[in-house]
Amino acid sequence: QVQLMESGGGSVQAGGSLRLSCAVSGYAYSRACISWFRQTPGTEREGVAAFYTDNGRLYYADSVKGRFTISDDSAKNTIYLQMNNLNPEDTAMYYCAAERGSYGWCSDSWARASEFHYWGQGTQVTVSS
């Protein structure tokens, strides 16, 4: 049974930092595209960052480049999202998602929520001004 479990959300002031974790279990850590998405009420899930397991390729949305860093600990099957210089627009529920696929597929689809079958329950990030 595939499980993704996010943790690390919370409330911070603008300019602060948080590190989110996504523990992946029941899922072979190969040929996998693992993405972070975020969502606010009434909006679509937005791809924030992603990682392809086989070659370590990283992907970022323009809105977070230079502030967010995705990384992994393959020994722990855990993906991290380090978020620095947070601003109120980053307030959202953050989800990690996983899908098996090729590098080319991940490059095309990492930010498309509809392409992913496996999801965590989400962790809330709130940034106050």
Side-chain angles (χ1 to χ4, degrees):
Q1 181 180 358
V2 179
Q3 287 190 319
L4 290 83
M5 182 73 69
E6 303 96 336
S7 60
S11 298
V12 296
Q13 291 192 323
S17 298
L18 284 172
R19 188 177 81 156
L20 307 183
S21 300
C22 174
V24 182
S25 61
Y27 196 75
Y29 207 74
S30 65
R31 291 192 73 244
C33 188
I34 302 177
S35 290
W36 284 99
F37 290 83
R38 64 186 180 186
Q39 187 175 29
T40 55
T43 68
E44 299 287 325
R45 288 187 183 183
E46 172 194 11
V48 174
F51 165 79
Y52 188 67
T53 56
D54 285 19
N55 60 13
R57 178 74 161 88
L58 307 179
Y59 306 87
Y60 295 99
D62 288 344
S63 59
V64 305
K65 279 181 182 175
R67 300 189 299 122
F68 290 13
T69 302
I70 189 170
S71 63
D72 84 307
D73 184 337
S74 58
K76 296 181 179 179
N77 279 14
T78 299
I79 306 296
Y80 302 100
L81 186 67
Q82 177 68 43
M83 306 186 295
N84 297 329
N85 195 21
L86 286 161
N87 58 60
E89 289 70 37
D90 296 315
T91 295
M93 184 72 79
Y94 283 71
Y95 300 89
C96 64
E99 188 59 58
R100 187 86 63 208
S102 67
Y103 166 55
W105 175 86
C106 188
S107 295
D108 289 340
S109 304
W110 70 268
R112 299 176 186 165
S114 61
E115 298 284 340
F116 287 78
H117 288 95
Y118 302 106
W119 292 84
Q121 83 291 345
T123 186
Q124 178 68 37
V125 172
T126 303
V127 185
S128 58
S129 58

